Amino acid sequence: MQNQLIAACEAKHAKSDIPHFQVGDTIIVHQKLLDGVKERLQTFEGDVIARSGAGARESITVRRLVQSEGVERIFPIHSPRIAKIEVKRAGMVRRAKLNYIRDRVGKATKIKPDPKRQVVLDAAVKVAAVETAMAAAIANKENNTTGESKRAAKRKLKAESTKK
Amino acid sequence: MALGLLGTKVGMTQVYNDKDGLVEPVTVLQLGPCPVLQIRTADRDGYSAVQLGFKDKPRKNAIRAEQGHVASGLKSKRKDARLKGGVQLLEKADCEPQRFIREFRVDAPTVKVGEKLAVSDIFGSVKAVDVIGTSKGRGYQGVMRRHGFHGLPAAHGAKKVHRQAGSTSSLASNRGSGRPKKGLKRAGQYGNTRVTIRNLAVVRIDTENNLLLVRGAIPGHNGSYIIVRPTNKYGSTHGIVRDAGPAKNKVVLAKKGK
């Protein structure tokens, strides 16, 4: 049993928007990086080979092949530096930790797809795409309430600036 | 010296830094609220200090002395006699008997007896703390575990002596005295001693639950009593220096002229 006070300290960090994924799935991790003063996103795509920890302390190990060399990265998934996690492919595995993949070469490193869960994933992606499109459309409409075209707005701006 | 607080070690966990989102290993400390039980003054006691208590103790478990220390209402023949004799009695905190009572040496205390001190009162603007606790007891241990000795060879003719300290007398600094030097490292009780860890960075303060999160580990078991004070380390890397340290001569590097 975890101490309630410790749980209270961690509760602040736990994210609620982490998608459901399992060991064996292929995911894309969007990580925020500080590039000088600017912040930019870096993505890392690979197979989840381990999930460890619980609650806000949970972390995942993601493995991918870069120029036929295995690269593994460990991400604390509740970190504020992780912008987004996308689930790309559902995999079917029989183990909680896929450490055996490290010893495999070539075709043997592939994880068997899980078509049943893949269907659910694809549906979710479609729904999300529609939603974002709708949201974009609504936002667009709100911006153009005056009925002006973009070009007209630009011209107006220019005229104002020359006046000054 | 600065006033600190009493509390318990709750345990360790990790949190994300507010500044850049990095993981910080922290120890969660529950501190206070600590009632001020007594103020020691130089005139009466020979030194000035503030006595704090932590954690209420059920009255039925407290002995009369413990009850009388905090409660002004407790009747006693001696008290009556002293009052009759015109002795001015000390102010009492009028709280429950306390489990853990310690004093902090404070030159000019600003707190009053009976006041309850919370984390934010003491550590609101403090960036680093010292934590005093009792380390985990490990029992009677040999020199290898207790002092990190290397022991004697496993082979090369070593006979039944593999984890011993080796020769304990005839050290060069002690030659001719005929006995081992004082303070020689030997087997004995390891742990269960008072340990101070200085200059631990304060990561967060949770006033709601009276928690203080400090970076790094502290001595003792979870749930053990601890004393926490603002750090007295001169030149603390965490940016706060309690007392002005020794005056340093400014070193001015002579610039090479052309």
Side-chain angles (χ1 to χ4, degrees):
Chain A
M1 196 197 83
Q2 212 199 353
N3 190 301
Q4 284 184 344
L5 294 173
I6 291 182
C9 294
E10 291 169 0
K12 188 187 155 193
H13 300 290
K15 285 184 194 170
S16 54
D17 60 344
I18 287 169
H20 172 80
F21 63 90
Q22 295 176 2
V23 169
D25 292 358
T26 305
I27 61 166
I28 306 172
V29 181
H30 296 254
Q31 191 188 8
K32 283 180 205 164
L33 279 183
L34 261 184
D35 193 4
V37 206
K38 257 187 173 177
E39 208 175 54
R40 65 185 177 86
L41 286 181
Q42 194 187 51
T43 56
F44 187 84
E45 185 181 338
D47 303 328
V48 180
I49 65 164
R51 286 184 85 150
S52 60
R57 295 191 311 274
E58 188 172 355
S59 65
I60 52 171
T61 308
V62 185
R63 182 183 171 87
R64 70 170 297 183
L65 287 176
V66 179
Q67 294 171 352
S68 70
E69 182 67 39
V71 174
E72 279 178 22
R73 291 195 63 177
I74 300 168
F75 295 102
I77 59 176
H78 291 274
S79 165
R81 287 188 147 195
I82 304 290
K84 196 169 69 170
I85 294 175
E86 268 179 76
V87 190
K88 213 176 159 193
R89 258 195 312 277
M92 207 195 295
V93 290
R94 307 174 85 169
R95 252 151 264 285
K97 306 274 190 266
L98 309 181
N99 295 336
Y100 66 88
I101 280 188
R102 293 172 183 162
D103 305 328
R104 301 282 174 90
V105 189
K107 212 174 164 185
T109 57
K110 279 198 175 164
I111 293 169
K112 211 162 96 180
D114 187 342
K116 267 188 194 168
R117 279 178 47 232
Q118 188 65 48
V119 171
V120 180
L121 276 183
D122 291 344
V125 167
K126 261 186 194 170
V127 168
V130 169
E131 271 178 4
T132 48
M134 293 236 308
I138 289 167
N140 220 2
K141 239 183 192 176
E142 277 173 0
N143 281 345
N144 288 337
T145 41
T146 46
E148 267 180 332
S149 68
K150 265 187 186 173
R151 198 179 258 175
K154 229 181 194 177
R155 217 178 288 143
K156 210 177 172 185
L157 249 173
K158 214 178 180 183
E160 269 175 23
S161 62
T162 46
K163 253 184 204 171
K164 281 174 188 172
Chain B
M1 287 284 292
L3 187 59
L5 276 184
L6 310 176
T8 57
K9 171 178 175 176
V10 176
M12 287 196 76
T13 182
Q14 57 187 38
V15 296
Y16 296 104
N17 195 331
D18 291 334
K19 200 173 65 195
D20 44 14
L22 293 178
V23 170
E24 298 257 21
V26 293
T27 310
V28 182
L29 315 176
Q30 189 176 29
L31 304 179
C34 295
V36 178
L37 301 182
Q38 222 173 57
I39 308 254
R40 302 264 187 208
T41 56
D43 307 338
R44 194 181 59 236
D45 308 295
Y47 63 99
S48 64
V50 174
Q51 190 182 77
L52 300 182
F54 175 67
K55 216 170 195 184
D56 293 348
K57 193 175 190 175
R59 284 187 198 181
K60 67 178 173 67
N61 292 352
I63 60 173
R64 255 182 87 80
E66 286 172 338
Q67 289 180 35
H69 187 60
V70 294
S72 54
L74 204 69
K75 276 186 180 168
S76 97
K77 283 181 198 162
R78 182 169 180 264
K79 196 164 97 178
D80 295 341
R82 290 185 79 194
L83 278 174
K84 214 179 255 174
V87 179
Q88 203 169 20
L89 295 179
L90 280 178
E91 211 182 336
K92 294 287 166 76
D94 271 331
C95 60
E96 292 299 309
Q98 301 292 302
R99 277 194 192 280
F100 185 54
I101 299 171
R102 288 290 180 277
E103 284 179 5
F104 290 87
R105 294 288 279 264
V106 181
D107 290 336
T110 50
V111 289
K112 279 182 185 140
V113 172
E115 209 176 318
K116 279 210 167 180
L117 302 176
V119 186
S120 48
D121 299 337
I122 306 288
F123 298 109
S125 61
V126 170
K127 286 181 180 162
V129 293
D130 297 342
V131 179
I132 301 162
T134 307
S135 61
K136 285 181 185 173
R138 289 159 174 92
Y140 192 100
Q141 294 294 338
V143 284
M144 286 179 75
R145 176 167 289 241
R146 190 174 179 217
H147 297 299
F149 283 15
H150 289 283
L152 298 175
H156 300 299
K159 279 178 189 167
K160 293 182 182 171
V161 282
H162 303 293
R163 297 184 61 87
Q164 257 84 340
S167 173
T168 52
S169 58
S170 76
L171 293 167
S173 58
N174 212 34
R175 256 191 99 163
S177 65
R179 56 194 155 82
K181 199 176 176 181
K182 278 264 167 79
L184 191 80
K185 289 173 178 173
R186 288 209 164 160
Q189 164 69 30
Y190 178 35
N192 195 17
T193 50
R194 178 186 159 115
V195 177
T196 309
I197 305 283
R198 292 167 76 198
N199 203 14
L200 292 167
V202 173
V203 175
R204 194 189 303 157
I205 291 174
D206 183 349
T207 46
E208 196 181 319
N209 297 314
N210 294 314
L211 302 182
L212 183 78
L213 273 62
V214 296
R215 193 177 201 282
I218 68 161
H221 291 278
N222 291 349
S224 60
Y225 292 129
I226 47 164
I227 305 170
V228 185
R229 63 166 186 236
T231 190
N232 63 6
K233 188 156 190 165
Y234 174 67
S236 162
T237 49
H238 302 298
I240 199 149
V241 180
R242 300 303 306 179
D243 305 318
K248 267 188 185 171
N249 290 327
K250 245 190 183 175
V251 180
V252 181
L253 290 174
K255 276 182 187 172
K256 274 183 186 173
K258 271 184 186 175

